[in-house]
Amino acid sequence: MRHSMQNRPLLISSLITHAERVAGDSEIVSRLVERGSEFATHRYTYADAHRRSRQLANALTRFDIRHGDRIATLAWNGFRHFELYFGVSGMGAVIHTVNPRLFPEQITYIVNHAEDQLLFFDLTFAPLVAKLAPLLKSVRGFVAMTDRAHCPEIPGLTVWCYEDLLSAETDDFDWPLLDEQSPSSLCYTSGTTGNPKGVLYAHRTTLLHTYAAMSADAFCLTSRDAVLPVVPMFHVNAWGLPYICAATGAKLVLPGHALDGASLYRLFEEEGVTLSAGVPTVWMGLLGHMRTHGLKFSSLRETVIGGSACPPAMIDAFEDEHGVTVLHAWGMTELSPLGSMCRLKLKHLALPKPARRAIQAKQGKAIFGMEMKIVDGDGRALPHDDVAFGDLMVRGPWVVEQYFREEHSALVEGWFPTGDVARIDADGYLTITDRSKDVIKSGGEWISSIDIENLAMAHPAVAEAAVIAVPHPKWDERPLLVIVRRAGADLTREDMLAHLSGKIAKWWMPDDVVFATELPHTATGKVLKTKLREIYRDHVLPSTAAR
Amino acid sequence: MRHSMQNRPLLISSLITHAERVAGDSEIVSRLVERGSEFATHRYTYADAHRRSRQLANALTRFDIRHGDRIATLAWNGFRHFELYFGVSGMGAVIHTVNPRLFPEQITYIVNHAEDQLLFFDLTFAPLVAKLAPLLKSVRGFVAMTDRAHCPEIPGLTVWCYEDLLSAETDDFDWPLLDEQSPSSLCYTSGTTGNPKGVLYAHRTTLLHTYAAMSADAFCLTSRDAVLPVVPMFHVNAWGLPYICAATGAKLVLPGHALDGASLYRLFEEEGVTLSAGVPTVWMGLLGHMRTHGLKFSSLRETVIGGSACPPAMIDAFEDEHGVTVLHAWGMTELSPLGSMCRLKLKHLALPKPARRAIQAKQGKAIFGMEMKIVDGDGRALPHDDVAFGDLMVRGPWVVEQYFREEHSALVEGWFPTGDVARIDADGYLTITDRSKDVIKSGGEWISSIDIENLAMAHPAVAEAAVIAVPHPKWDERPLLVIVRRAGADLTREDMLAHLSGKIAKWWMPDDVVFATELPHTATGKVLKTKLREIYRDHVLPSTAAR
């Protein structure tokens, strides 16, 4: 029996078409990469962006780009990157946003693996392109995302100028009525081991993620917001914000290459930003700048923090010093990326502040459409009681099933193993306690490294902390706490152990505390624990009786 | 090229499953129909509702209900109706919510047309069921939505008791992984001419509507809300609110049969309702009661008004007297039903109050996923300039294509003709100016009856007003204004003409004003203009020179 309704496909082109219709004059403001350290912005509207996306689609057609062809970008958050999001996917090709912070060998690997046909790049990355171009076998054209005046010359390479390509085209282009299952965009995970793996999103999966992530218990974006995504557009589509902003007609503020505290603060204030999103590291820089100069936010209402766990102290700083609500989020490339967001419930509103903050320190509830469970080592589901923790498994219409060009499904009995270890409470709030590979297995029981790190980070003398497993003859593994002290701070092993004492189970207490001048990080700013484990593999633990 | 993501279907069962996971203890409060005028409520949680929906699915299986079978309801907004929403659709059958306010012949027609297998009814409708049962050929079982103690006896009819059916079943039921294109629910339009037509929704169309309607620029529902849908669950799924509340875990307050001002006000206050939704008529009753007794809302934040145009005076009353924001909405059965909602944009916030109110009087912007255009008599698209008005055409994944069991598509070149006449402004805000069949065609130009009615209604002596076309020898049609005076009010033809003068184009001025003691209404409370046209068909217009 056929239902009565229209069977219209979910397409990315509908986002920018909608934006023009209901928010044609809403602004997209971009800090100009071409102007370097000079604070110069470009501003135009969704109607302009839509027009230029159609010109871009015509330019791509002239390059003989076909449905499914991959187009790479090496670019910051800016209006031309925004046009590529819609022009490339809208015409049926696939935008492959390459993370320029990866090692050059990784970039070469993924561009070749994706068989990218064209590469669009911001000026910042011209030297990188000059170096890698000979190795990128499938790339037929290199396009500098700038105007003629700024277009770089790269010896031995034909470099097209983005603005020249566009100005040669009309905006007469009808977005094709694609199958919603058509691939639209491609991101590679920046795994700490092995080659990066590609996640190929589709129009349908992107639109469903957009709907779920824009909802009022997630980003809650409206046409009254001005949004500054600090999270890069090369990092899982800036958590979906370019799509969500188009769907809502929110003003979009794109910070380009200038992610330092002073640049960001000026953009927040001049453009009346109401919502932002990024990883803890960036906020550290911004909050530090503001503290040093005695500055306050005048328009910012909420900020979404994800990528890695947000230290409780950062939540306090945003809320108590600036009146800005922190929304803790969790996701990953394999989840498009949003899995959960932490907004309070009706019953939480009356709680005293410390209790509310304790909830905000969790990664929040699954957004509607995402299903989560935690399982033990044998795959048995564990209770949602905020005590049991196990491997976090997810499923849903915007969750990966099989990595791009991999032969096997990534799923275990229909669920994607996230590689995270988590607790879930009775209200559905998720707490990530560890990465599966970082969890410390002591005498058959698990110790969560993140819980201990959060406690250590709460000490005023600590700049950064990491807990890793070191081999132990009796217990298999025991926790070692590695600390970077704040500049000028004084802190001893004994101070830290005293600080932790009583706050965690006795058998969770680190067997030793060591101090380092810095911690190794991944390209996306996470502590590289594999490296730390290598460094401290032979660290001799004091002869304490574990447990 | 296959994308990487899971291809999970969009299913209604996922709503109630999600609700239990993230809002298992959120309340659903229902005014009990069984207790009549006594103010008695039933309260339980989403977890309870999910458990009982699974018991219901088992009970339906015992009745040999198969995928696609239609199950009718004649019921108010209450927890058992809520369970039917999820139990019936979740197990693969189709819930057919019958509007009990239709004429008995229409009810008989649609139940037979839908070939409903079972009929679930609230006690209020036992007499109606007793009368119609012999005529309902396909119905194999009648179920009273109550417990054993209140179960009615209907001579000659086996009446099952809902609570007995449930208590005979376990909650051991796994929601089937249906095709998302499977039909899920059925509503008939209450057309003023011809037989009602069915719109058969699918799981996919319902879920996409849910996502779009719950977004922050539409209902903006969160887990911190308490929602009281005054709009009945037999009227286009209560505008989707039962689904949206499940998707967000909002507290749900269901008013049953008691829609009078006193009952509603008590429920709003006792349950801390933050958002409500309904047609203007209901609000008239509630506001009247509150004015008489000097009452104020203590928790209500927003109310969504749709179904027919909200008089500007009602927007003022809600906002100025009660501090409640009115969200004007537009939709129809054929649109699942939401098409547009009126929320302000960033640039509107700084406008003076009268300018903001003028925007709020519009029906708002298309929600994301809905496309709208207006066309002239020849199907040519008209500009979105807030001046041109024409037939409103829509398309989108939750818009009807072909009515249930009709042979022909309802579309014109891929667009659904709504039967409404509208303007759209440059920001995408819709203003419904008329029903196509009510527009007055004077000398080849169109006159909007609604614009004149709104002006007439703004006069303090007017209780209700309608403008209809009467035949005219020279101009084909000319407007006649029919007025119901407020009790005790004094108002003459000349007073009204003076009131309108200068506020509308001269050639829009009604050729005559007549007074009536009441206006005829449809089952859903709209003025029955076809009837009015009949009554005044031979009305002799004064010999004014039109234009």
Side-chain angles (χ1 to χ4, degrees), chain A residues 1-10 14-15 18 21-23 25 68 70 94 180-181 183 198-202 204-205 207-208 211-212 214-217 220-226 247-248 251 334 336 343-347 349 365-372 384 394-404 411 414-416 426-428, chain B residues 1-10 14-15 18 21-23 25 68 70 94 180-181 183 198-202 204-205 207-208 211-212 214-217 220-226 247-248 251 334 336 343-347 349 365-372 384 394-404 411 414-416 426-428:
Chain A
M1 191 171 47
R2 171 75 169 83
H3 62 74
S4 299
M5 314 310 276
Q6 300 179 16
N7 212 351
R8 294 192 64 79
L10 304 174
S14 72
L15 289 159
H18 181 78
R21 271 297 163 90
V22 306
D25 64 354
R70 274 78 68 204
V94 173
E180 68 180 26
Q181 301 283 4
V199 181
L200 185 64
Y201 309 111
R204 171 188 165 96
T205 69
L207 271 273
L208 291 176
Y211 272 125
M214 72 195 266
S215 69
D217 256 334
C220 194
L221 272 182
T222 76
S223 51
R224 292 169 299 291
D225 279 304
T248 55
K251 176 176 174 177
E334 289 86 345
S336 304
R343 286 192 184 268
L344 300 179
K345 294 183 173 192
L346 190 57
K347 68 178 180 184
L349 299 183
K365 293 173 295 176
I367 57 175
F368 171 58
M370 181 66 58
E371 291 178 84
M372 297 181 171
H384 294 189
V394 298
R395 66 180 185 193
W398 55 87
V399 175
V400 75
E401 176 167 325
Q402 186 158 349
Y403 291 101
F404 182 52
L411 307 187
W415 294 78
F416 173 68
D427 291 321
Chain B
M1 192 171 45
R2 172 75 169 84
H3 63 74
S4 300
M5 314 309 277
Q6 298 180 17
N7 212 351
R8 293 191 65 78
L10 303 174
S14 72
L15 289 160
H18 180 78
R21 271 297 162 93
V22 306
D25 63 354
R70 275 78 68 204
V94 173
E180 68 180 26
Q181 301 283 4
V199 181
L200 185 63
Y201 310 110
R204 170 188 166 97
T205 70
L207 271 273
L208 291 177
Y211 272 126
M214 72 194 266
S215 69
D217 256 334
C220 194
L221 272 182
T222 76
S223 51
R224 291 168 300 290
D225 280 304
T248 55
K251 176 175 175 178
E334 289 86 343
S336 304
R343 285 192 183 267
L344 300 179
K345 294 182 172 193
L346 190 57
K347 68 178 180 184
L349 299 183
K365 292 173 295 175
I367 57 175
F368 172 58
M370 180 66 58
E371 291 178 85
M372 298 181 169
H384 294 189
V394 298
R395 67 180 183 192
W398 56 88
V399 176
V400 75
E401 174 166 325
Q402 186 158 349
Y403 290 101
F404 182 51
L411 307 188
W415 294 78
F416 174 68
D427 291 320

Side-chain angles (χ1 to χ4, degrees), chain B residues 16-52:
Chain B
I16 191 73
T17 307
H18 180 78
E20 173 162 9
R21 271 297 162 93
V22 306
D25 63 354
S26 279
E27 280 184 315
I28 299 171
V29 180
S30 310
R31 167 108 184 217
L32 284 167
V33 178
E34 292 97 324
R35 305 280 279 273
S37 59
E38 184 196 346
F39 188 95
T41 54
H42 168 275
R43 60 183 67 229
Y44 71 170
T45 66
Y46 279 104
D48 296 325
H50 187 202
R51 182 174 43 76
R52 284 170 48 97

